[in-house]
Amino acid sequence: MNNPQTSAAKDGEAQNQTTEQQSQKDDWQDHIAKLLEYSKQLKDDYQTQGKITHQLAKAEWRLSLRSLALITIFLGCFASGLVLLWAGFLGAVGYGVYDLFGSVWLSIATATLLQVACLAWLWKNTVYLSNKIGFSKTLKSLKQLFNL
């Protein structure tokens, strides 16, 4: 019953099974090695992307500061022009009142009244706009989010 061919066949099957198990083990090790390699590459790519993003942010910050400086200069020039325009308008109104009524005091009073009215309007709008500054709705939303 103990045939040498059956014994050899069983030994061959066992050897094939052992070889197959070793091959599967090697496949898993290869897969794990590839996963490690991919994760290292992914980490390197994220680091590179982070460096590029940092450089981009620095460049945009410099450009934004330059633009902000230029806008400030342009707004100063624009404001100067408006002041000159307003002064010219007050001068023209004052001259017109003086020409109509011949009174220097009346023309000064008219120009002063116009200036005070303009300043009152500017003050009212400044107060209105300053009340709009802030993050009240954002803070309320955050408080609700964190249940504070």
Side-chain angles (χ1 to χ4, degrees):
M1 292 255 187
N2 212 355
N3 190 351
Q5 287 179 345
T6 2
S7 170
K10 285 182 184 178
D11 286 344
E13 282 179 29
Q15 191 175 19
N16 283 343
Q17 200 172 32
T18 306
T19 307
E20 190 176 304
Q21 287 175 351
Q22 185 65 29
S23 173
Q24 286 178 351
K25 194 182 220 183
D26 289 344
D27 285 348
W28 280 106
Q29 288 174 350
D30 289 343
H31 289 304
I32 290 173
K34 284 182 182 179
L35 284 174
L36 287 173
E37 182 182 329
Y38 293 150
S39 64
K40 183 183 180 310
Q41 182 64 40
L42 186 64
K43 180 191 76 131
D44 292 343
D45 289 346
Y46 273 117
Q47 285 178 341
T48 303
Q49 185 67 31
K51 289 176 185 175
I52 290 170
T53 303
H54 182 257
Q55 291 171 349
L56 179 64
K58 281 173 51 176
E60 285 182 332
W61 179 254
R62 283 192 297 262
L63 286 173
S64 295
L65 286 178
R66 180 179 175 273
S67 295
L68 187 60
L70 289 173
I71 287 171
T72 304
I73 291 168
F74 293 153
L75 284 176
C77 293
F78 183 72
S80 300
L82 284 178
V83 166
L84 288 174
L85 182 66
W86 181 248
F89 175 73
L90 287 179
V93 167
Y95 179 75
V97 169
Y98 176 74
D99 196 34
L100 280 174
F101 300 105
S103 171
V104 173
W105 294 110
L106 185 60
S107 65
I108 291 174
T110 305
T112 303
L113 183 65
L114 283 173
Q115 183 66 32
V116 168
C118 179
L119 289 174
W121 179 79
L122 286 172
W123 183 258
K124 181 183 137 200
N125 284 316
T126 302
V127 169
Y128 173 76
L129 290 175
S130 67
N131 288 334
K132 300 291 181 190
I133 296 173
F135 298 95
S136 60
K137 295 192 185 304
T138 303
L139 291 174
K140 183 180 178 183
S141 176
L142 285 173
K143 285 180 182 178
Q144 288 177 349
L145 180 66
F146 294 122
N147 292 325
L148 296 177

